[in-house]
Amino acid sequence: MVSISNGQANGGTNGYGAAVSPGHRMISKRFSDIPSAIDIPVKEGDDEAVEVDLEDLLDDDPTELCTLLENEGAARTYWMTVSLAYAKQKKVDHAIEMLIKGGQAMRGGAKERLSMLTCLCWMYLWKSREAPRVAPEGVLVSEARTKEYYLQLSTSTLNEALRINPAFPPLFLARGVLQLLKASLQPPSKSAAPNAIDPEKAEILRASLKSFEDAIRVSQGRNMMAVLGKSRALFSLGKYADALEGYQEVLQKMPDLIDPDPRIGIGCCFWQLNFKEDAKAAWERALEINPDSKIANILLGLFYLDSSARVPTNSPEFIRLYKKAMMEYTQKSFKADKDLPLTCATFAGYFLSAKKLPTVEILAHKAIQYTDVNAIASDGWYMLARKEHYNDDYETATDYYRRADEARGGADRGFLPAKFGAAQLSVLKSDYGEAKLRLEKIIQQSKNIESMALLGTLYAEEVFASQQSGVKEDKSTEFKKAVGYLETVRTAWKDSKKNLLPDASVLLNLARLYETDHPEKSLQCLQQVEQIEFDQVPEDEKPETPEEEVALKTNIREGLPPQLLNNMGCFYYQAENFDQARDMFQIALSACIKVGEKQEDMDTDALVTTISYNLGRTYEASGLLDDANTVYEGLLTRHNDYTDARTRQAYIALRQNPTEDGPKAIAKLYQDASADLEVRALYGWYLGRVHSRKRAGNIAEDPELRHYKHTLQQYEKHDRYALIGMGNLYLMTAREMRRETDQEKQKRSNMYIKAVEFFDKALQLDPRNAYAAQGIAIALVEDKKDYKTALSIFLKVLETVKDASVYVNLGHIFAELKQFSKAVEHYEIALSKDRSHDAQILACLGRTWLAKGKTEKSLPAYQEALGYSQKALAIAPEQVHFKFNVAFVQIQLAMLIYNLPEQQRTLTEVQAAVTGLEEAIESLEAISQHPQTPYPKGDIEQRANMARNTIRKQLDRSIQAQKEYEEKNAEKLQANRQRREEALKKREDAKKAAEAAEMERKLKIAEERQKIAERDRELAEMRAAESMAAEAAELTTDSETGDKVKRKKKPRGGAGGRRKRKNDDGISEDDESGAEPKRRSRAKRSGDDSDEDKPKKKRRLAKKGQEKPSKFKSSEVVVESDSEGDDGAADAAKEMDNDVGDELTMDVDEDEAAPVPTRRANRRAMIDSDDEDEDEDAPAPAQDGSPATANGDTPMADTPANNANDSDDE
């Protein structure tokens, strides 16, 4: 029988299904049969005995008791009882001594010693559990009493017992436990396969499993300890589901067992099967039954530790779970047993985080010494390794990490944190090659995020070191690996299931890696670092309004490192987001002030100087030249030798006053700092602008070229700006050279080659120099007409340099390739780059639109071309070639208008073309009188005459023809316009009608659904009412209590019953068997001779619309009563009278006899006496309104005799 507590089994299948009364707890039954005292009979006196108090065995030496038992010739039971009393008081050594001496004193032969040997074997197993795993420090291995030592003693004792009687049942259980403990001392498997077990260990576990099965067999399944042992062996073999069944079987058969507690095993199986909540419930049940259970406490502590690892460490939930794990459960387990290995290892981790290293060492050594689980020993070694790691004892820490790893298999298996710790030590010892090998092996085994972050950082540092050294070494492989690993880590942060916190160092390394080739990605990394700081703001402190949010972000940014803010500002500047860049630089300056206040020994002057200079450049780019000048003035006030600030001031002066103050500032700057390469570059650029209109015929005499040559010869032969400047000068010279003869063409080509040589030299010094690459691309286009190669170069340059010149050159390329739309797009981008008043770009746009118009015969394109040409002329009216461009486009436009059919042009457009043609004629006449005509004077005059004599007359005729066409087709045009408007209106009306119809359909569907819902509700209510009425009809009054009870049905016909017949009145009569009448079959019984002369009836099928019969048929109600006046019977009869409806009547064949008419039976005839039962399926022949047809249940109209033979079992 299962013990019952509060009416329920004490312990469900999984250990948490039972209710326990408050304060209820179970007590261990171990040693419960040991009496408090024992009387040892004296040999000489028959009635004399020596009483021994077994609850107060204080003697440290049991010799006196042994002598007493030997002298008195005590029986085996006295020796064993006293030894078990010692064991009960945890004095196992005295118990062992008692058993050894008792075995020697036994005179009853080998069988007398068998029980004592078995008990001694168990004592040795007990000592093995408590003994250290390894020899303590200072103790010789040969003298140390370790687990292995006691297991050997236990083995020898067990073998001695087996020699006496190998079939002794307790020995099977002892042998199984011995093999379990031996298996626990085996080394872990080194295989990388999941749940792999060392072959030798698996063999021992299988032998242990067989021993437990033998114990179960000989006990006929009653030995629950053997079932527990079998489950433990299965658990060690990784068969968790089978082990779970065993633990549940023990719990079902022995729900009050708590030492050992099967609920602990159930929880461990659930944990391994990944049902962690079920495991928690089982352990909580174990703790509820036994609040002092040290195992249940530590396992629940580990559950909450595992839960805390699944939430962010900076969240309140983590603090709550971690405190609950440590303070509520682990601490309680530690107080119950300070030597429990699992508790010691767990507590060591807590003290390690608290930096209480001496306590860590004590607890870790306990965990290593006393455990028989390899994983716990591994945790102990790991704690010691971390402790030595903190103490910077790298050699000792490396050794401990190795031991922790080997305790879990090492090599391809092992302990991941120990492997990672060893890699960290390699980094600290600057052995980066070893560290990378270790980390790459970890990543191959498991995609560990921490290992990827560290390995990516190592590769990134290698790339950074190469960049700073200036040594040209290919680090592209290291770059790819660094980016790959760090991006994998960054992606892993997005997985909410992993609960990983973003690491700012990973993002900063990525930003440095990206800053050269992918500045936009670098900016994203820095923005994510900034977002990390924003996310750390508690929810209750987050602002509600946009203004408060801006203020909070500004305040948080001021707490960020100024270097980070400065870099973000630079990236915004590079992306031409000047407003954001300006804000970032200003916040960075405020951050410098805060950093200076917090760290007084930190020199922030260099940071402030750099950030202020960047702020000034941003003001310049935004067109705020006065603000920029103010910033530079402030810098020069603090550092009067800051040449870069003076250079920017001189450039601003030149932009604001290019004729007086600007040149003076440039000259003064060059005079004071002529050796500065940046100043020399600015001065060379200034010379180019001054002498651009009067280039010398001989390039060697060009002042700008001579200045660059002087720079290369006297100051820096590798000055890239001077090299590119000279290349540009040779490029411009080649562009202006004549190319009529082959000799001139060759001379021009040589000049291009000379330019390319300077660009190539610059690229050798700086392979990423976009301006040098752009110069080579221009030379390819102008000299070799290699547009495709040049296009690829320009597109590559555009990734680095967003200058207007790059877009202009791309526009030229696309125009030559006849990709006019792309050409226009790039010209317009160039205009937006602070070049909106650049007449050259506007002229290029006009030329491109004209080419597009000619190709596509597009009037709007011609009009765009004319518009851009007029804008260019408006900006530079003195340029005669811009005036020629406008006239040329006007003539081309007039010719296009003339050639267009009347349907594709309007009178207004023709008249506008005439006006433009007159302006073109005047312009061409004026240009022909100019001293520097863009084309020969005769050609221009000839074009003007053609426009005046030919094109003008053509347009006059076009005006007349267009007038006649539009007057003639005015009515058609109006009719077409009206039809188009009507069609549009009709389409709109149809759309509105469709929308209205759709809305109406949806409303109708909604109404129908509402009606259906109401109808369903009414039907449900009706069915509920019918069900209640039918249930009420089934009730009758109990004759003894008077209560309403459900009417009992008689059992169906038994072996001794007789079949009932109908009498002449149609009333069924039962035999005295008391059996319930059988239901009549639809088919006649075969072989029934009494049916031959009886008329047959057939029934009409019920109509589909007829109401469905109720579940309870009123014609089949059976009423039991002890008295005539039974109210239940009367109520049932009344219910049946009220239940008569419009049922279907029977059809009778004309050639068959009609049924014998009978009167309706008295309702009282349906009430049986105490000795009779009513045949509820064989009423009188049905008539209209008879109960037999109630609820649409129409029986066959058979004769009474026929009915008697027609009741058959279904």
Side-chain angles (χ1 to χ4, degrees):
M1 293 291 290
V2 177
S3 60
I4 300 298
S5 175
N6 292 339
Q8 295 190 28
N10 190 7
T13 303
N14 296 331
Y16 53 90
V20 177
S21 59
H24 174 83
R25 58 179 293 178
M26 295 182 183
I27 301 174
S28 173
K29 293 182 179 180
R30 185 177 297 208
F31 300 115
S32 60
D33 55 345
I34 303 299
S36 59
I38 187 173
D39 293 331
I40 301 174
V42 179
K43 184 185 295 184
E44 295 178 354
D46 294 338
D47 296 331
E48 295 182 10
V50 177
E51 183 180 1
V52 178
D53 186 2
L54 298 181
E55 293 184 349
D56 191 20
L57 294 171
L58 300 176
D59 294 336
D60 292 334
D61 187 1
T63 305
E64 185 178 346
L65 269 176
C66 292
T67 304
L68 173 65
L69 293 171
E70 286 180 19
N71 293 338
E72 302 303 333
R76 170 179 53 83
T77 55
Y78 294 101
W79 288 92
M80 293 188 65
T81 302
V82 174
S83 65
L84 290 174
Y86 272 115
K88 183 178 181 180
Q89 297 181 18
K90 304 293 190 293
K91 299 176 181 178
V92 186
D93 291 326
H94 294 345
I96 291 173
E97 185 178 348
M98 291 288 299
L99 291 170
I100 292 173
K101 291 183 178 180
Q104 295 170 354
M106 287 295 103
R107 298 290 182 266
K111 290 186 178 181
E112 190 74 16
R113 298 177 55 243
L114 184 58
S115 296
M116 299 190 74
L117 288 172
T118 305
C119 187
L120 181 60
C121 177
W122 282 106
M123 294 300 167
Y124 283 137
L125 292 175
W126 188 344
K127 287 294 292 182
S128 174
R129 292 294 305 273
E130 296 180 347
R133 185 186 185 93
V134 294
E137 293 183 7
V139 180
L140 295 176
V141 176
S142 59
E143 298 178 359
R145 296 194 172 189
T146 60
K147 294 181 181 295
E148 184 65 33
Y149 169 79
Y150 284 109
L151 288 179
Q152 289 176 0
L153 290 176
S154 180
T155 303
S156 62
T157 305
L158 181 63
N159 289 336
E160 186 177 352
L162 287 170
R163 283 193 291 270
I164 297 172
N165 184 3
F168 188 49
L171 296 180
F172 294 123
L173 185 61
R175 183 167 56 190
V177 174
L178 173 61
Q179 289 163 331
L180 267 182
L181 293 176
K182 280 186 176 180
S184 68
L185 296 181
Q186 296 300 313
S189 173
K190 297 185 181 299
S191 173
N195 300 323
I197 303 175
D198 183 71
E200 186 176 351
K201 181 178 180 179
E203 188 64 30
I204 297 173
L205 287 172
R206 282 191 285 270
S208 171
L209 189 62
K210 184 179 182 304
S211 298
F212 290 127
E213 289 174 345
D214 290 341
I216 295 170
R217 175 178 49 78
V218 298
S219 68
Q220 297 179 353
R222 293 193 299 272
N223 191 337
M224 291 298 102
M225 293 298 111
V227 177
L228 282 174
K230 178 183 176 182
S231 299
R232 181 67 180 84
L234 289 169
F235 185 92
S236 299
L237 287 168
K239 299 178 180 180
Y240 305 118
D242 296 336
L244 177 62
E245 291 180 3
Y247 285 124
Q248 289 173 336
E249 178 187 350
V250 174
L251 185 62
Q252 288 174 345
K253 293 181 179 179
M254 294 184 68
D256 55 350
L257 180 64
I258 64 168
D259 187 16
D261 192 345
R263 299 165 188 82
I264 299 296
I266 288 171
C268 291
C269 291
F270 276 133
W271 184 275
Q272 293 294 341
L273 294 170
N274 206 28
F275 297 107
K276 295 186 177 180
E277 288 297 327
D278 293 328
K280 173 194 170 190
W283 294 332
E284 285 178 340
R285 173 62 178 160
L287 199 60
E288 181 182 359
I289 292 171
N290 182 14
D292 297 328
S293 173
K294 56 188 179 183
I295 300 296
N297 271 300
I298 186 57
L299 289 175
L300 281 169
L302 291 176
F303 171 84
Y304 284 106
L305 267 182
D306 179 75
S307 299
S308 69
R310 302 178 187 282
V311 298
T313 54
N314 58 351
S315 64
E317 181 67 7
F318 173 83
I319 297 172
R320 184 188 70 81
L321 292 171
Y322 190 77
K323 281 185 176 180
K324 190 166 187 177
M326 286 299 167
M327 301 306 173
E328 185 174 340
Y329 292 108
T330 307
Q331 190 175 35
K332 190 174 180 182
S333 176
F334 185 73
K335 288 179 180 179
D337 185 357
K338 291 182 171 55
D339 293 330
L340 185 65
L342 183 56
T343 307
C344 291
T346 307
F347 239 174
Y350 169 77
F351 285 112
L352 182 69
S353 62
K355 302 296 188 294
K356 295 181 180 180
L357 302 184
T359 309
V360 173
E361 185 171 9
I362 295 170
L363 294 173
H365 276 300
K366 281 186 178 182
I368 295 167
Q369 286 181 353
Y370 295 108
T371 186
D372 51 8
V373 179
N374 288 319
I376 297 177
S378 175
D379 288 341
W381 289 117
Y382 179 72
M383 292 301 154
L384 288 175
R386 297 300 297 172
K387 177 236 174 192
E388 298 301 334
H389 195 151
Y390 281 126
N391 289 333
D392 296 332
D393 188 351
Y394 298 153
E395 295 303 324
T396 307
T398 302
D399 181 53
Y400 287 157
Y401 279 134
R402 178 187 59 77
R403 294 190 184 190
D405 188 36
E406 289 179 351
R408 276 187 164 95
D412 297 333
R413 193 177 179 89
F415 191 34
L416 182 61
K419 295 178 186 292
F420 185 73
Q424 287 179 314
L425 291 178
S426 298
V427 174
L428 291 174
K429 291 186 288 187
S430 300
D431 190 355
Y432 300 121
E434 176 71 17
K436 287 190 283 190
L437 286 175
R438 288 180 179 274
L439 292 170
E440 284 174 350
K441 194 167 184 179
I442 292 173
I443 294 169
Q444 287 175 3
Q445 294 174 2
S446 65
K447 303 298 182 183
N448 181 261
I449 298 302
E450 290 80 4
S451 300
M452 289 184 180
L454 181 55
L455 185 57
T457 302
L458 290 177
Y459 281 120
E461 289 296 335
E462 196 172 341
V463 174
F464 301 150
S466 176
Q467 292 174 349
Q468 293 173 0
S469 66
V471 178
K472 291 184 178 179
E473 188 177 357
D474 184 16
K475 292 291 180 181
S476 58
T477 303
E478 288 77 5
F479 176 86
K480 290 179 181 177
K481 286 184 176 180
V483 171
Y485 286 128
L486 295 178
E487 280 292 356
T488 303
V489 174
R490 188 181 177 192
T491 304
W493 297 340
K494 300 175 183 177
D495 189 352
S496 58
K497 296 180 181 178
K498 295 182 179 179
N499 287 314
L500 296 173
L501 292 176
D503 186 355
S505 63
V506 171
L507 294 167
L508 292 175
N509 282 325
L510 274 173
R512 287 185 66 184
L513 291 168
Y514 282 138
E515 65 183 7
T516 303
D517 295 329
H518 305 283
E520 69 285 351
K521 291 184 179 180
S522 182
L523 177 59
Q524 289 174 4
C525 293
L526 296 178
Q527 288 172 333
Q528 193 170 350
V529 173
E530 184 184 46
Q531 188 62 40
I532 292 173
E533 297 294 329
F534 293 154
D535 292 341
Q536 291 180 357
V537 177
E539 288 293 331
D540 55 345
E541 296 181 12
K542 288 189 176 179
E544 297 180 357
T545 62
E547 294 78 10
E548 292 177 352
E549 184 176 358
V550 171
L552 176 65
K553 285 190 174 182
T554 302
N555 188 41
I556 292 175
R557 281 173 176 161
E558 289 177 357
L560 295 175
Q563 298 91 331
L564 171 65
L565 298 169
N566 178 64
N567 289 346
M568 291 181 68
C570 290
F571 286 123
Y572 281 130
Y573 180 92
Q574 192 172 350
E576 299 182 359
N577 297 327
F578 301 123
D579 293 339
Q580 289 177 287
R582 183 173 64 250
D583 294 340
M584 203 59 66
F585 288 134
Q586 290 171 344
I587 295 172
L589 289 173
S590 302
C592 287
I593 298 173
K594 286 192 174 183
V595 169
E597 293 173 353
K598 293 178 181 178
Q599 305 176 20
E600 296 180 357
D601 57 338
M602 181 178 179
D603 183 15
T604 58
D605 182 68
L607 275 174
V608 171
T609 302
T610 301
I611 296 170
S612 298
Y613 178 78
N614 291 340
L615 178 61
R617 292 299 306 269
T618 307
Y619 281 134
E620 280 190 68
S622 303
L624 305 173
L625 300 182
D626 293 336
D627 292 336
N629 207 17
T630 303
V631 172
Y632 297 139
E633 284 289 351
L635 284 172
L636 290 172
T637 302
R638 295 168 55 199
H639 303 282
N640 56 8
D641 58 343
Y642 194 9
T643 307
D644 287 341
R646 290 189 61 194
T647 303
R648 300 314 304 175
Q649 275 192 320
Y651 176 74
I652 291 173
L654 189 64
R655 286 186 63 183
Q656 290 180 330
N657 195 341
T659 56
E660 296 182 5
D661 295 340
K664 291 179 182 179
I666 293 290
K668 181 71 168 61
L669 174 66
Y670 185 67
Q671 182 181 353
D672 295 341
S674 60
D676 188 280
L677 293 179
E678 294 294 330
V679 173
R680 296 191 68 83
L682 177 63
Y683 191 69
W685 172 81
Y686 167 70
L687 290 176
R689 285 177 60 89
V690 170
H691 300 285
S692 61
R693 296 172 184 266
K694 44 183 179 179
R695 294 284 179 189
N698 186 4
I699 187 174
E701 298 177 0
D702 188 276
E704 184 180 0
L705 183 71
R706 293 170 61 186
H707 173 76
Y708 291 142
K709 187 181 291 186
H710 188 255
T711 299
L712 293 172
Q713 291 174 348
Q714 302 297 327
Y715 294 96
E716 175 58 61
K717 65 178 180 179
H718 293 149
D719 183 44
R720 287 163 290 179
Y721 188 88
L723 290 170
I724 294 171
M726 291 186 73
N728 286 332
L729 288 173
Y730 279 107
L731 206 60
M732 288 188 289
T733 302
R735 188 179 298 129
E736 300 297 330
M737 291 177 68
R738 300 175 65 88
R739 45 189 179 276
E740 295 177 0
T741 64
D742 292 341
Q743 184 179 0
E744 290 174 345
K745 290 179 181 179
Q746 183 62 40
K747 190 176 180 180
R748 181 173 180 267
S749 181
N750 291 338
M751 192 64 71
Y752 276 116
I753 293 173
K754 188 73 172 175
V756 169
E757 288 176 356
F758 282 105
F759 293 135
D760 185 60
K761 179 65 174 176
L763 283 173
Q764 291 177 14
L765 297 171
D766 180 11
R768 297 178 179 276
N769 194 305
Y771 297 100
Q774 185 174 219
I776 291 177
I778 294 172
L780 285 172
V781 171
E782 295 181 356
D783 185 33
K784 306 294 184 184
K785 306 299 182 184
D786 189 354
Y787 299 112
K788 292 185 178 179
T789 304
L791 177 61
S792 63
I793 295 174
F794 281 127
L795 291 174
K796 193 69 176 175
V797 168
L798 190 62
E799 296 177 5
T800 306
V801 179
K802 306 292 183 181
D803 190 71
S805 61
V806 183
Y807 288 101
V808 170
N809 289 327
L810 279 170
H812 294 339
I813 294 289
F814 284 121
E816 291 293 339
L817 294 173
K818 299 191 182 304
Q819 298 182 24
F820 302 116
S821 297
K822 289 186 177 180
V824 169
E825 178 184 349
H826 284 84
Y827 285 137
E828 288 178 346
I829 294 174
L831 276 180
S832 65
K833 299 283 184 180
D834 198 22
R835 302 279 289 273
S836 57
H837 298 293
D838 192 317
Q840 291 293 342
I841 299 176
L842 291 169
C844 290
L845 274 167
R847 184 176 65 248
T848 304
W849 277 111
L850 182 62
K852 182 180 175 68
K854 286 183 176 180
T855 304
E856 300 175 0
K857 305 295 183 183
S858 170
L859 179 59
Y862 275 92
Q863 292 170 343
E864 288 284 345
L866 179 59
Y868 280 114
S869 300
Q870 289 171 339
K871 288 180 181 179
L873 179 60
I875 292 172
E878 72 282 359
Q879 297 291 332
V880 67
H881 56 279
F882 289 158
K883 193 171 185 178
F884 176 82
N885 289 345
V886 172
F888 181 78
V889 174
Q890 287 173 330
I891 292 173
Q892 294 296 319
L893 180 60
M895 294 174 65
L896 176 68
I897 290 288
Y898 169 73
N899 292 321
L900 286 175
E902 289 87 351
Q903 296 88 344
Q904 297 180 15
R905 67 188 183 188
T906 64
L907 180 61
T908 304
E909 291 172 345
V910 178
Q911 291 173 344
V914 171
T915 304
L917 181 65
E918 295 298 332
E919 293 175 359
I921 294 170
E922 293 177 4
S923 298
L924 290 174
E925 289 176 347
I927 291 169
S928 64
Q929 303 300 321
H930 197 276
Q932 294 182 348
T933 57
Y935 293 99
K937 183 178 180 180
D939 294 345
I940 295 173
E941 291 177 347
Q942 184 178 359
R943 189 175 293 274
N945 291 331
M946 182 186 69
R948 183 185 304 108
N949 299 327
T950 305
I951 301 176
R952 179 188 288 173
K953 294 178 180 178
Q954 291 174 343
L955 286 178
D956 289 342
R957 291 195 297 270
S958 295
I959 290 174
Q960 187 62 32
Q962 191 69 25
K963 283 182 180 179
E964 293 176 358
Y965 172 79
E966 291 186 1
E967 288 174 359
K968 182 179 180 181
N969 294 281
E971 294 181 0
K972 291 183 180 179
L973 291 173
Q974 182 63 27
N976 289 336
R977 192 179 299 111
Q978 188 173 356
R979 279 196 299 271
R980 191 182 305 114
E981 291 175 356
E982 290 176 355
L984 289 173
K985 185 178 179 182
K986 186 176 181 181
R987 194 179 306 151
E988 188 67 25
D989 292 342
K991 183 179 178 182
K992 290 180 179 179
E995 290 176 354
E998 179 66 17
M999 182 63 68
E1000 185 178 354
R1001 187 182 68 84
K1002 289 181 179 179
L1003 291 174
K1004 187 176 181 181
I1005 291 173
E1007 290 176 0
E1008 290 177 355
R1009 286 177 178 172
Q1010 186 175 359
K1011 289 178 181 178
I1012 292 171
E1014 291 177 358
R1015 193 182 311 122
D1016 290 344
R1017 187 167 57 254
E1018 291 174 359
L1019 287 174
E1021 291 174 355
M1022 289 175 60
R1023 287 171 184 163
E1026 290 176 1
S1027 178
M1028 291 175 63
E1031 289 176 0
E1034 286 288 310
L1035 297 178
T1036 185
T1037 304
D1038 190 276
S1039 59
E1040 296 178 359
T1041 63
D1043 295 333
K1044 291 287 185 179
V1045 295
K1046 191 170 183 180
R1047 184 175 290 108
K1048 297 179 181 178
K1049 290 187 178 181
K1050 299 288 185 179
R1052 293 184 181 258
R1058 287 201 313 237
R1059 189 173 294 143
K1060 55 180 173 258
R1061 304 183 186 88
K1062 288 191 179 179
N1063 56 23
D1064 295 336
D1065 295 330
I1067 305 300
S1068 55
E1069 296 177 351
D1070 292 343
D1071 289 333
E1072 296 178 358
S1073 63
E1076 183 181 351
K1078 296 181 181 179
R1079 186 174 299 171
R1080 188 183 60 206
S1081 172
R1082 292 179 184 270
K1084 275 195 311 183
R1085 290 180 77 150
S1086 60
D1088 192 348
D1089 298 332
S1090 63
D1091 290 344
E1092 294 176 359
D1093 300 327
K1094 302 298 183 288
K1096 297 180 180 178
K1097 303 297 179 183
K1098 66 179 181 180
R1099 68 178 175 184
R1100 182 186 302 163
L1101 295 176
K1103 293 181 181 178
K1104 290 184 179 179
Q1106 185 175 352
E1107 183 181 352
K1108 293 177 66 176
S1110 173
K1111 177 180 177 183
F1112 304 99
K1113 301 177 182 178
S1114 60
S1115 61
E1116 295 179 356
V1117 174
V1118 178
V1119 183
E1120 293 181 354
S1121 175
D1122 292 337
S1123 63
E1124 287 273 37
D1126 191 307
D1127 294 337
D1131 291 339
K1134 189 180 295 183
E1135 171 103 6
M1136 289 154 59
D1137 284 334
N1138 295 332
D1139 202 31
V1140 178
D1142 296 331
E1143 280 78 19
L1144 296 175
T1145 58
M1146 295 297 144
D1147 285 342
V1148 182
D1149 291 341
E1150 293 180 358
D1151 56 348
E1152 292 182 352
V1156 178
T1158 60
R1159 61 182 175 83
R1160 180 159 44 170
N1162 192 337
R1163 292 301 172 197
R1164 293 292 181 184
M1166 297 185 66
I1167 303 174
D1168 291 344
S1169 66
D1170 292 340
D1171 298 326
E1172 291 182 343
D1173 292 331
E1174 177 184 340
D1175 183 3
E1176 60 187 39
D1177 284 331
Q1183 296 180 357
D1184 287 345
S1186 69
T1189 61
N1191 295 325
D1193 186 28
T1194 308
M1196 295 295 290
D1198 293 337
T1199 61
N1202 200 13
N1203 281 338
N1205 294 323
D1206 199 33
S1207 63
D1208 199 2
D1209 287 329
E1210 290 183 353

